[in-house]
Amino acid sequence: MMGPTSAKKVSSEVDYFVDLSQIPCNGKAADRINRDGIHVLLNMNGYTKGARNEIFALRPAPIQAMWLGYPGTSGAKFMDYIVTDAVTSPMELRDQYCEKLAYMPHTFFIGDHAQMFPHLSEKVLVDIPSVKHAEGGDSCKITGDEYIVLNCTNSKDLLDLLGDFQYISHPVKDQEETKIMTPVVPYSQRTSRVENMLRTSQLTSQLDENHQVHNGLAMVQIDSKTATGEKPPSGIIASGRMQYRLPPSAIVYCNFNQLYKIDPSTLLMWCNILKRVPNSVLWLLRFPAVGEVNVKNFAKQTCGISPERIIFSPVAPKEEHVRRGQLADICLDTPLCNGHTTGMDVLWAGCPMVTLPKETLASRVASSQLACLGCPELIANDAKSYEEIAVQLGSDADYLAKMRAKVWYQRTASPLFNIRHYVSDLEKLLMKMWRRYERGEGPDHITQ
C-alpha cells in the first residue's frame, strides 16, 4: 500500500496511473487490471499490511511475480516468479520457493538513498578536544579526541567558510592506490558554537549571517519533510556521539533493527564480541521500548556483560535514522532475519555490516547487498567466523579504517545504490518473463 506522498510522486512521473485503493472490491480491481491489458503484475506486499492477494488469486495478468516488498515465497500457485538473485536465493535452495526464481544480475534489493540523502555522500568532521584552551581561542591542532559530523549538499562552501582544515587519508581496502580524503576542521570559536548547540540541545547554531547549522536531533521541528526523507536538507546538519550518550573513543557496534529479530544465539554472539573487544559498546534501538530491560538482563545474567555497555536510543525519523549510522563503527546484522532496508541505511552511512546468511530469503538479503557492494569479506560462514570478523574490525584500527574507506567508496562505485542501473536490469528481466510467455512457454527459472 502506497502512502499519499509516494502516490503523488509516482503518479506525476508515469504515463498511466490507476489507484486501486479506490477500487476496494478485489473482483472489480482484478477486472480493471485485466481490462487494461497488464502483462506483468508485481506483488510487493505478500502477507504484510495492505496486501490484496485475492486479486492475484483471480489471475488478472498472464504473468504474476513477487518483488521486493515481502521477504519470502508466497506459497501460492498463482504466483509465477519471484524476483531475486543468486546470493539471496541460490539454486540449491530453490525448493524453498513455489515460484520460479528470476535473477537480477547483482542484487534484487534497492534503495533510493543517493537521491533521498545526497547530503550523506560527503561529510566534514569537526575536531572536539577533550581539554579546551582556557582562552577559548582557535587551534590548528587535530586531537582526534572526539568528532562532530557535519553533513550538507555543498561541503566546499562549508570548508571555505571554516577556513583552516586538514585531510585524514585512508586507503581503500584491496584498492590501496585509492584513498578516501575526509576533511577535519580544528576546534575554533565558530565550531565551539556547534558543540555547545549539541550539548545544550539547542535547535540551531549560527556560523555567520549566511550559514546556519541544524541540530540533527531536531530535524522534525526544523523541517519535517527533510526529517521524513521527502526532500534533502537545505542547510548543514550536525551529529555527534554525545547526542546519544555514546563514548567518544569507544568502538561502537550497532544494530538498528526491531528487537524481535534478535534471538538468544545472536545476542550471545554479540556479547562474546563485546567481551573480546573491551573498549566497545553495543548500540540498539528501543524498538519496542519494553525490550530494553530484557536485553540488558540477558547480557548481564547470561554473559556477564555490564548493562552500561548496551546503549539504547529511541526510534528516529528516517533522515536521522540513516544519518546517525555515521556515528557507529560497525553494524552487527541479525542472522535470523537480516536488516533489509536497515542494511541499506547503514551502508549508505558508510558503516561496515557483518552478516551471517542462513537458508531463508530473509536471512540472506544482507549478504546479497554486501556482495553487490563488493565487500564479501564481511559475509561470515558460521557463528565463529561472524565473531572473528567483528572482533578483527573492533580490534585492528588500521583494518577498520581501510574497511570503512572501502564501504564509503563502494557506495557510489558499485551498483548497489544505482537506481538507473537497477531499473534497466529489472526491465530486461521482466521482458524475459514476457518473451517466454509469448513463445508459449510456461514459467521457468531465469538465471542468465
Side-chain angles (χ1 to χ4, degrees), residues 416-433:
L416 184 59
F417 293 98
N418 191 324
I419 295 287
R420 192 176 297 276
H421 194 160
Y422 183 95
V423 169
S424 176
D425 289 338
L426 181 61
E427 288 174 342
K428 291 174 184 175
L429 182 60
L430 298 180
M431 189 57 70
K432 288 178 182 178
M433 298 178 189

Side-chain angles (χ1 to χ4, degrees), residues 2-12 225 228-231:
M2 195 180 297
T5 301
S6 299
K8 183 177 180 181
K9 178 176 171 57
V10 171
S11 63
S12 67
K225 288 192 174 182
T228 56
E230 293 177 52
K231 74 177 187 67

Side-chain angles (χ1 to χ4, degrees), residues 251-257 261 266 269-270 273 276-277 282 328-340 342-344 346-347 350-358 362-371 373 375-395 399-400 403-404 407:
I251 292 295
V252 176
Y253 293 102
C254 77
N255 183 281
F256 295 150
N257 288 326
K261 294 187 177 185
T266 297
M269 284 196 304
W270 291 355
I273 293 164
R276 295 176 61 186
V277 185
L282 177 61
D329 293 296
I330 304 140
C331 174
L332 299 177
D333 188 36
T334 42
L336 193 64
C337 182
N338 298 165
H340 299 169
T342 309
M344 299 290 280
V346 295
L347 293 174
C351 182
M353 174 174 61
V354 183
T355 193
L356 171 58
K358 301 289 188 178
S363 73
R364 303 182 64 87
V365 174
S367 296
S368 173
Q369 294 168 354
L370 289 169
L373 188 67
C375 298
E377 61 270 64
L378 296 174
I379 305 172
N381 297 318
D382 51 35
K384 184 175 185 295
S385 64
Y386 180 100
E387 291 183 22
E388 292 299 329
I389 294 168
V391 169
Q392 183 182 10
L393 288 167
S395 305
Y399 181 75
L400 176 61
M403 195 69 242
R404 287 181 63 86
V407 171

Side-chain angles (χ1 to χ4, degrees), residues 138-195:
D138 294 359
S139 170
C140 62
K141 182 181 179 183
I142 302 296
T143 66
D145 294 337
E146 184 169 7
Y147 293 115
I148 289 173
V149 183
L150 300 180
N151 295 110
C152 60
T153 53
N154 188 355
S155 59
K156 182 180 183 302
D157 177 61
L158 175 60
L159 290 171
D160 288 343
L161 169 68
L162 295 174
D164 186 29
F165 66 91
Q166 302 173 29
Y167 280 107
I168 297 177
S169 173
H170 291 300
V172 173
K173 182 180 176 294
D174 302 328
Q175 304 174 55
E176 305 296 322
E177 72 287 350
T178 304
K179 291 180 171 55
I180 298 300
M181 308 292 288
T182 305
V184 183
V185 179
Y187 196 70
S188 67
Q189 290 182 339
R190 259 197 183 123
T191 59
S192 69
R193 299 173 202 158
V194 179
E195 180 195 14

Side-chain angles (χ1 to χ4, degrees), residues 217 220 227 244 285 313-322 324:
L217 284 182
V220 170
Y244 301 98
L285 298 187
S313 292
V315 177
K318 182 64 176 182
E319 189 276 335
E320 180 193 343
H321 169 76
V322 178
R324 67 183 173 184

